[in-house]
Amino acid sequence: MSTIYAVFEKLDDQISSTISEWNLWTTAIALLLASVVACGVILWEDPDTHPFLLLRQSTPAPVRQPGGSAVYRSPQRPHGYPLRSGLDIKVDGAPVWAAGKDGDLRDIWKQAVAGSRDEEGQHPARSGRIFTIRGKEEVFEHELGNAAGDERGFEDRGGADMWVQASFHKASTSLAKNYEMSPPNGLLSASFFGFSPVLLPFGQRPQTDEAVLGQLRKTSPDVLIAGAGTIPLADVVHSCPQLKHVIWVVQPSNRHIDWNEVPEGFGGKVGVSVWHEMIEEKRSSIGGDLPYDVDRPEDSFRLVTIWQREGDEVGDVVEYTQANLVAGVSAFISSLPPKRSITPSDLLVPADSMMTAYSLTVTLAALYSNASVALNSVAGPGADLELSARLVAPTIIVASAETVARYHAKVKEQAEGAWFASIWYWLRSRALTAGRMPGGAFINRAMAPSTVSSVGTTPGQLRLLFVSERAHSGCPPLSSTVLSDLRIFTGARVVYALTAPGVAGAVSSTNVYDYRREDEDEGKGEAENARGSSVTAARHSHFGVPMSCLEICLVDTAEHKTTDEDCPRGEITVKGPAVVNGEASLGVLGTFRDDHTLAYL
C-alpha cells in the first residue's frame, strides 16, 4: 500500500509543479500541439480509391498461346464476355432488360441535339453548345440545333457541283478548327449522307506543299475543302486528276476577293466554290430535319486519316469505320468513374488537333454527353496550353504530350524561384502521395504562388486533363513525376493514354485516380520498335489498362520473349471492335508491369 501512496504522491507533486510553472508560452505551445493533432483528425480524408485497386489494374487471361503472353483486358470486360462494341442505345418501347444497339455517329449527333435526360428518361432540352475562339478577344457561340442547315448543305448542293452522286465518295479537308468545317461537323455530315471524309493533318507540324500533294494522291479524294490560298490550286488539280470539286473556306477579311476562279487550262475539269456562299445560297431552302433513319451500307462511310510517323512527312493512310469510332467513344465514356464522368455542365477544349483519332474520340464523347465544346485554331502538338483556353473556362482539356511537356517546363521554371512555391508544391505532393487530389479550387487559388500561371479564365475550374502519347511519333517522354507535377500545377486529374494508328481512341489509359509517383531511376530505358531501333528516350510513365473495346497481347520478337523475364515482354498487338480490320500490331515493344499496367519496354 505504501508503494501505491508513494506513486500518487509523486504524481501529485509533478502536477503541482507543472501548474505552478504554467505561463503564456506554455499555453501557446499546448494550443499549437492540440491544433496539430485536431487538424490531423478533423481534416483527414480517405484516398480517392483503395490502394489495392491500383496493384492489379488489368485482367490477364488464365491461359496463353505459344509465342505470346496472356491476353490482357480491362476489368470492365472480363474474359469470356464480349468486348464493348457500341453505345448501347435503348430502343424506345423495348423491355428494360433488352440489350441496346451499338448505334453510329448519327446517334451521337441525335443525342447531342436532343439534350440530356432526367431521372425519368425525359429530355429537359438541355444540350451542349459549340464555341469558336478567334483571335484574342472574340468568342462565338453556336446552338447545336442550328447546325443542321450546315450539314444538309452537303446533301442539297446537287447538280453540276457533284454533291452526293455516285461519283462522290470522298471529301478531303485541310483546315484549322472552326465551327463551319470542324472535323466533328464534317464527320457527322458524312455519316448522315454517306460519303467518306478525309482529314489531312493541319497544324501538327510544318506541312510543305509536296507533303500535302502526296497525301492527296494517297487518299484520292473527289472533293477538297481547304483554307483559301493555303495551297496552289493548279498544283492540286495537276496532281489529283480524280478531283472534281474544290471548296475554299475564306476568312471574313478576304471575302472581297473572287475565289471562284479556275486556273487557266483546267476549265471544265474541276469546279470551284466558296464555303460561306454555298451555305448562304441554300440555307433558306434547307430543312432542319436530318435523315436519322436512313439505312446505309456499312462500307458507305470511312473516316480516312493520315498518321505521320517521326521523319515521315506524307504519313500512312488509316481508314476507320463507324463501328470502330462508336466502340472507341463508348470505351472512353465508360473508362471514367461516375463521379468524374463528362456532364452537361462541362466545357471541353481540344488543345490537340482533331485530325488525330484520340482527340476526335474525346470530342465526340463530350458531344454525346451533352457537354459544350470550345474550338480554337491554337491546337496540335506543341501548342501553347494557356493560349488554347485563354478566353474560356474549360473543365476538360485534351492535349498532346508535346503540349503538356512544354507547359510543364514553363511553369516549373516559374515556380522554382519562389520560396513559398516550394512549400505549396511540397504540401500538394504529400496529398498526392496519400492518394488524394490536394485541396479544392478555393484553397488552390489562395495558396498558389503568383508565378504559377493558370489555364483558362477561371483558375481551379479545370478538373480533367487527357494527354495522348502517339506511338512512332517522337513524343517527349512524360514520367510519373511530370504527371504528378501537372496535377499540382493545373489542379486537374491527369489521364495518360497510348494511341496508335489503326485504333479508334486510345489503346490504353491510366486510371483517373492513379496518382502514384515512382522513383526517378525506376523505369529507365528506351522505347523500341519491333526491329530493335530506339523510338524515343524513355522514362515514360505507364499507360494504364487496355480500353474496354479491345484486348492486348505481347508477341515474341527476335530479341525479347514473353517468358524471359518475370514480366512479359514483346511487341504490342491489339484486337477488338475499335481496331481497324479487327487486329493490328503497333510495332513497338512493351511490357505489363507487376501492377498489370502497360508500359514501354
Side-chain angles (χ1 to χ4, degrees), residues 146-157 193 278-290:
N146 295 333
D150 289 350
E151 297 187 358
R152 286 201 60 91
F154 284 102
E155 171 75 5
D156 201 59
R157 186 63 178 168
F193 302 117
M278 183 184 73
I279 295 299
E280 291 301 327
E281 178 185 348
K282 296 295 182 180
R283 188 181 294 275
S284 59
S285 61
I286 295 175
D289 295 332
L290 292 169

Side-chain angles (χ1 to χ4, degrees), residues 6-254:
V7 171
F8 279 105
E9 184 177 357
K10 185 176 182 180
L11 180 62
D12 182 68
D13 292 340
Q14 291 289 340
I15 295 175
S16 300
S17 175
T18 301
I19 294 176
S20 63
E21 296 176 359
W22 193 277
N23 56 27
L24 183 63
W25 288 105
T26 311
T27 304
I29 295 174
L31 290 176
L32 178 62
L33 293 176
S35 63
V36 170
V37 175
C39 287
V41 174
I42 297 174
L43 300 180
W44 170 260
E45 296 181 12
D46 290 331
D48 290 347
T49 189
H50 199 288
F52 283 178
L53 298 179
L54 301 178
L55 297 180
R56 291 291 185 270
Q57 297 195 35
S58 62
T59 306
V63 297
R64 66 178 183 89
Q65 300 297 325
S69 69
V71 174
Y72 286 80
R73 280 193 175 192
S74 167
Q76 298 179 3
R77 284 292 188 262
H79 295 278
Y81 287 83
L83 294 168
R84 193 180 301 275
S85 60
L87 300 171
D88 193 23
I89 299 173
K90 301 296 184 181
V91 180
D92 292 339
V96 178
W97 60 85
K101 63 177 183 178
D102 289 343
D104 55 28
L105 298 181
R106 293 177 295 178
D107 295 294
I108 294 178
W109 183 256
K110 184 177 181 180
Q111 174 64 25
V113 175
S116 59
R117 296 176 181 268
D118 56 19
E119 297 180 355
E120 298 179 357
Q122 302 298 322
H123 286 287
R126 180 181 179 182
S127 60
R129 295 167 294 173
I130 293 183
F131 300 90
T132 54
I133 306 173
R134 298 180 183 176
K136 298 181 179 180
E137 299 179 354
E138 293 183 308
V139 178
F140 295 90
E141 180 180 342
H142 311 271
E143 295 291 340
L144 291 179
N146 295 333
D150 289 350
E151 297 187 358
R152 286 201 60 91
F154 284 102
E155 171 75 5
D156 201 59
R157 186 63 178 168
D161 291 329
M162 300 287 183
W163 284 105
V164 194
Q165 295 185 4
S167 58
F168 174 43
H169 301 292
K170 291 183 180 179
S172 177
T173 62
S174 179
L175 291 167
K177 287 189 297 186
N178 58 67
Y179 177 70
E180 288 81 2
M181 198 48 220
S182 63
N185 200 23
L187 181 65
L188 294 167
S189 303
S191 67
F192 278 106
F193 302 117
F195 62 89
S196 297
V198 181
L199 304 183
L200 300 184
F202 190 96
Q204 297 188 31
R205 58 187 66 181
Q207 287 277 97
T208 62
D209 290 347
E210 291 74 15
V212 175
L213 294 176
Q215 293 164 359
L216 291 174
R217 283 191 290 267
K218 272 191 171 185
T219 55
S220 301
D222 300 299
V223 177
L224 172 64
I225 306 173
T230 56
I231 188 171
L233 180 58
D235 294 344
V236 172
V237 176
H238 179 75
S239 301
C240 305
Q242 79 288 345
L243 195 65
K244 298 180 177 65
H245 206 101
V246 175
I247 300 176
W248 296 126
V249 177
V250 185
Q251 296 295 330
S253 59
N254 296 327

